[in-house]
Amino acid sequence: FELTGVVSGLLLTVPIAILEFTERDAAQTGQADETIEEGWMDALAGFVFVNLALVTTICINSAMFVVSSGWQASTRYYEALMPIIGVTFHLFAYGGVFPLTVLVLNRLLLWAGSPVPVLVLNVWSFVMSQCSTHFLWSFHIKGMALELYHFPCWLMSIIRVT
């Protein structure tokens, strides 16, 4: 949980850097108006920044609550904490890391002279992501059966899909 907060805090600078590259590219080419695609990518960069900021804030606040009141707490306390951890992780993954990957791969596609290598990289990244997700959840299902039993229903449905 704390590691998610640290990583999301460190990743906060990446969307801002992508936005700065967009402005610098527009200044070098002399284009004042950006295309619709660039506008959507800028909006996605803003979305990623806000999600990573939320994850960082939630992790820090939750860590303070766990430290102050979670020491040798009851099982009910930790069962109530699991949905918060699940939501925070999914906000980090689906609202931060995955869109950030789309942003970076889109910028590579725009900067590349030929789009074929970047498209191959995109396909390869997707395949490797799916394989690693499958192996990760297979490991968790075998090693943490009790913890998985206490996950919220919506989280279990996402795990079943992957």
Side-chain angles (χ1 to χ4, degrees), residues 2-12 52 55-56 92 97:
E2 291 86 5
L3 182 62
T4 304
V6 169
V7 170
S8 62
L10 292 172
L11 286 176
L12 277 173
L52 290 174
V55 168
T56 305
F92 172 70
V97 174

Side-chain angles (χ1 to χ4, degrees), residues 54-91:
L54 281 173
V55 168
T56 305
T57 305
I58 290 170
C59 286
I60 290 170
N61 289 338
S62 297
M64 288 189 298
F65 286 128
V66 168
V67 165
S68 63
S69 61
W71 175 250
Q72 296 181 346
S74 66
T75 306
R76 213 172 59 196
Y77 175 82
Y78 290 111
E79 286 178 354
L81 184 65
M82 284 307 290
I84 296 170
I85 292 173
V87 167
T88 304
F89 176 76
H90 278 82
L91 184 63

Side-chain angles (χ1 to χ4, degrees), residues 75-134:
T75 306
R76 213 172 59 196
Y77 175 82
Y78 290 111
E79 286 178 354
L81 184 65
M82 284 307 290
I84 296 170
I85 292 173
V87 167
T88 304
F89 176 76
H90 278 82
L91 184 63
F92 172 70
Y94 298 119
V97 174
F98 294 147
L100 191 58
T101 305
V102 170
L103 280 172
V104 169
L105 293 175
N106 179 48
R107 291 298 172 208
L108 285 174
L109 187 62
L110 292 175
W111 291 333
S114 172
V116 175
V118 179
L119 291 175
V120 170
L121 173 69
N122 288 349
V123 170
W124 178 254
S125 300
F126 177 76
V127 169
M128 293 309 294
S129 170
Q130 293 303 312
C131 290
S132 63
T133 301
H134 170 73

Side-chain angles (χ1 to χ4, degrees), residues 14-34:
V14 176
I16 301 301
I18 288 174
L19 288 172
E20 288 176 3
F21 281 128
T22 303
E23 290 175 7
R24 191 176 311 137
D25 289 345
Q28 288 176 353
T29 58
Q31 295 175 341
D33 299 330
E34 63 180 20

Side-chain angles (χ1 to χ4, degrees), residues 134-148:
H134 170 73
F135 289 126
L136 177 72
W137 280 116
S138 297
F139 167 75
H140 284 304
I141 288 170
K142 292 174 186 171
M144 299 187 342
L146 183 62
E147 288 83 358
L148 284 173

